[in-house]
Amino acid sequence: VVRIWVTGDLEAGERITASAEQAHYLLNVMRLSVGDEALLFNGRDGEWTGRIVEAPKRGCVLEVEALTRPQTKGPDLELVVALVKRTALETIVEKAVELGAARIRLVVTEHANRDHARADRLRAIAAEAAEQTGRLDAPAVVAPEPLLGILADWPPHRALMFCDEAGDAPPALQALSGRPGGAWAVLIGPEGGFSAAERAAIRALPAAVPVSLGPRILRADTAAVCALTLWQAALGDLKAS
Ligand code: SAH
């Protein structure tokens, strides 16, 4: 069944007006019509069935009917990723959603790509990935912030899995094993890597846990997938029971 992420409140009888893109997708791509149903979620109220009740020109109104899945929270895992090439960043956002990132923060570093990532395009990718992957929420994509600012304001309770390609960090699973779960972030640098000053500033953070992702240098998108998977396997919802 088709799933769409909406912003409105979800409760029986509520009427939801789909966006123009969603209306096109429901009516033209999926060829649904009045009377057909879709699954709706908004990140707050769980997943509900919605029945198409009106299909005005280029529009689509659904009436919320029944709760199919109560809202649940995934792991409190953030991805902090440096601005890389546009296509790589779009891949990273999509994979981070599939791998359960609760929030995605874009960061500007010395070697970051200047062709700025369009945050609204990345948010649309995040919503589509959440629909496809069966999540009950779509992570926020936070507009680019400077790395040193992020570090200065770092919340002490959130551990930071610092993916450090410098080569002297312990293997990720070893560094993570035995640590408490809870609030974590994964930090991935740009194609040009972190500068020495940036590496020192990150390692100076008490919350930082430097990790190696192996003896090979991974592209940022590969590193993001690898790091998120390792974290989920060690401390998250891929953890062996
Ligand atoms: N240009 C750099 C590599 C940057 S790779 C160089 O050649 O050294 C982009 C990011 O992916 C890195 O900043 C790091 O966060 C992560 N990464 C890639 N390979 C890694 C590895 N083997 N261990 C830890 N992090 C890695």
Side-chain angles (χ1 to χ4, degrees):
V1 182
V2 174
R3 299 182 78 242
I4 56 169
W5 181 73
V6 296
T7 52
D9 292 341
L10 293 172
E11 58 187 60
E14 194 74 28
R15 289 215 161 183
I16 299 282
T17 301
S19 68
E21 295 81 9
Q22 289 173 330
H24 169 72
Y25 175 64
L26 291 169
L27 303 174
N28 304 337
V29 175
M30 302 308 291
R31 313 205 55 73
L32 300 182
S33 51
V34 171
D36 288 335
E37 68 178 38
L39 291 173
L40 311 175
F41 65 104
N42 62 8
R44 304 184 302 277
D45 303 326
E47 180 189 79
W48 293 71
T49 51
R51 194 166 303 282
I52 300 175
V53 290
E54 286 173 40
K57 186 160 173 44
R58 292 162 50 79
C60 182
V61 178
L62 302 103
E63 182 163 312
V64 181
E65 288 189 340
L67 179 72
T68 50
R69 290 164 59 194
Q71 189 66 37
T72 53
K73 264 177 82 66
D76 184 4
L77 172 64
E78 298 190 346
L79 175 66
V80 183
V81 60
L83 292 176
V84 294
K85 280 195 301 289
R86 188 176 56 76
T87 48
L89 195 51
E90 293 180 355
T91 300
I92 288 170
V93 166
E94 182 178 70
K95 301 311 156 199
V97 173
E98 293 172 67
L99 288 168
R103 187 164 79 135
I104 298 166
R105 300 177 74 178
L106 306 177
V107 63
V108 182
T109 66
E110 283 179 51
H111 304 316
N113 272 58
R114 287 286 165 262
D115 68 339
H116 59 275
R118 298 264 318 280
D120 58 339
R121 166 98 183 102
L122 296 175
R123 289 180 187 121
I125 288 171
E128 280 166 32
E131 290 163 354
Q132 174 274 324
T133 204
R135 284 181 60 155
L136 292 173
D137 66 338
V141 178
V142 180
E145 306 162 273
L147 175 64
L148 298 188
I150 286 185
L151 297 179
D153 299 341
W154 194 261
H157 73 285
R158 185 174 293 278
L160 175 61
M161 177 181 176
F162 168 34
C163 297
D164 185 354
E165 74 276 16
D168 59 350
L173 281 182
Q174 177 186 319
L176 294 177
S177 71
R179 287 183 181 270
W184 277 82
V186 171
L187 173 59
I188 301 287
E191 286 121 28
F194 290 107
S195 69
E198 288 171 338
R199 177 168 287 109
I202 300 163
R203 283 177 173 252
L205 204 64
V209 179
V211 307
S212 166
L213 299 178
R216 294 163 295 278
I217 295 289
L218 311 178
R219 286 188 182 281
D221 47 357
T222 314
V225 170
C226 180
L228 290 168
T229 302
L230 288 171
W231 186 91
Q232 288 286 21
L235 300 173
D237 57 22
L238 273 176
K239 185 175 166 65
S241 51

